[in-house]
Amino acid sequence: MSTPSNSPAPSENQPSASTDHLEWRRHLPALASAAAGINQASDAWDAVSDSFCDEDGWPMDEKGYADGQVKRDAEAWKHAEVFLDHGPEVLAGVRAAADGPDYVEGPISEDLRRLRGIDTTLVRAGQLRHEWDQIMALMDASLPGSRTLYQERAEEHRNSEGWHYADELSHQGPALVRAAEYLANRVDAEQPSRTERTRVALARSTPGARGVLPASPPAPPAPNPPAPGRSRS
């Protein structure tokens, strides 16, 4: 498989498109739901955010405005974590199944181009989650019982930082799902022809399947000798 220079080359650990595509395809419903969830959280906030602001866009109800953003960020981050759990395997499957021409033209070329930055999004979102886990562990170790006092504020900070990555995934996520579905369906369509070619090849390579001449028919019986008699003079 060929990949353009601006797309990461598949690694040895990536699944084979012809044998393991069902393994990464099982994550697609979760990713599709997560992408939709991020967009719903964003749309829900956009629908009410103006009501907290004056005509120039400045918040009049600062608490209501801040609370709305906190709610949006928390909901979006919850779905972003789904991409951290399921996205890398699907992304590896897509890059293993896509051919060079898929990046240049065709039904998923635009979606594949949108995925160029998804690696950075997932890595940085993963770092944010790792930092959060470390902070919670330190709280539990150094100040027993303090987690309940500081967790809410720490979560708000994490979710606020994570909104940027969730917003990126609201565009990159659907592109990943569309490309994955297209490529998986293409592999499904190609599988019967591959199976038939394999069957024919195996039949041709079976010992005794070729170079064997048909058995010769049995020789006809010899004619009966004439009966003995007297010679004529």
Side-chain angles (χ1 to χ4, degrees), residues 141-214:
S142 60
L143 297 171
S146 66
R147 179 168 181 155
T148 56
L149 298 175
Y150 297 103
Q151 181 172 357
E152 182 177 355
R153 181 172 296 179
E155 282 181 347
E156 288 183 10
H157 176 73
R158 177 202 62 189
N159 298 342
S160 176
E161 292 291 317
W163 164 247
H164 171 74
Y165 308 123
D167 187 43
E168 292 289 331
L169 289 170
S170 71
H171 304 286
Q172 297 165 339
L176 177 61
V177 172
R178 287 191 298 266
E181 289 177 342
Y182 173 85
L183 292 168
N185 290 335
R186 186 171 72 181
V187 172
D188 282 343
E190 293 173 350
Q191 198 63 34
S193 61
R194 287 197 186 110
T195 302
E196 178 62 18
R197 289 197 298 270
T198 301
R199 187 191 67 78
V200 172
L202 288 174
R204 289 176 177 174
S205 62
T206 302
R210 56 182 178 178
V212 179
L213 297 176

Side-chain angles (χ1 to χ4, degrees), residues 33-230:
S33 177
I38 295 173
N39 282 310
Q40 288 170 2
S42 179
D43 292 343
W45 168 239
D46 290 342
V48 300
S49 60
D50 288 344
S51 64
F52 297 99
C53 302
D54 59 22
E55 294 180 355
D56 296 325
W58 293 98
M60 297 183 298
D61 181 356
E62 293 186 359
K63 184 180 185 304
Y65 192 87
D67 289 345
Q69 283 187 319
V70 167
K71 181 179 179 181
R72 177 202 65 182
D73 295 346
E75 186 69 15
W77 176 254
K78 178 181 70 176
H79 296 299
E81 287 196 294
V82 175
F83 277 92
L84 294 179
D85 294 333
H86 302 279
E89 185 174 346
V90 175
L91 185 60
V94 165
R95 287 175 172 158
D99 295 324
D102 289 323
Y103 289 85
V104 179
E105 59 183 1
I108 60 171
S109 58
E110 184 175 350
D111 287 329
L112 292 174
R113 286 192 289 271
R114 287 183 179 179
L115 298 181
R116 290 171 182 168
I118 195 172
D119 301 88
T120 301
T121 303
L122 292 175
V123 167
R124 291 181 177 173
Q127 290 173 343
L128 181 62
R129 180 164 70 172
H130 179 65
E131 291 170 1
W132 157 260
D133 291 338
Q134 288 183 318
I135 290 172
M136 292 298 101
L138 287 172
M139 282 187 181
D140 290 338
S142 60
L143 297 171
S146 66
R147 179 168 181 155
T148 56
L149 298 175
Y150 297 103
Q151 181 172 357
E152 182 177 355
R153 181 172 296 179
E155 282 181 347
E156 288 183 10
H157 176 73
R158 177 202 62 189
N159 298 342
S160 176
E161 292 291 317
W163 164 247
H164 171 74
Y165 308 123
D167 187 43
E168 292 289 331
L169 289 170
S170 71
H171 304 286
Q172 297 165 339
L176 177 61
V177 172
R178 287 191 298 266
E181 289 177 342
Y182 173 85
L183 292 168
N185 290 335
R186 186 171 72 181
V187 172
D188 282 343
E190 293 173 350
Q191 198 63 34
S193 61
R194 287 197 186 110
T195 302
E196 178 62 18
R197 289 197 298 270
T198 301
R199 187 191 67 78
V200 172
L202 288 174
R204 289 176 177 174
S205 62
T206 302
R210 56 182 178 178
V212 179
L213 297 176
S216 300
N224 294 327
R230 289 182 296 177

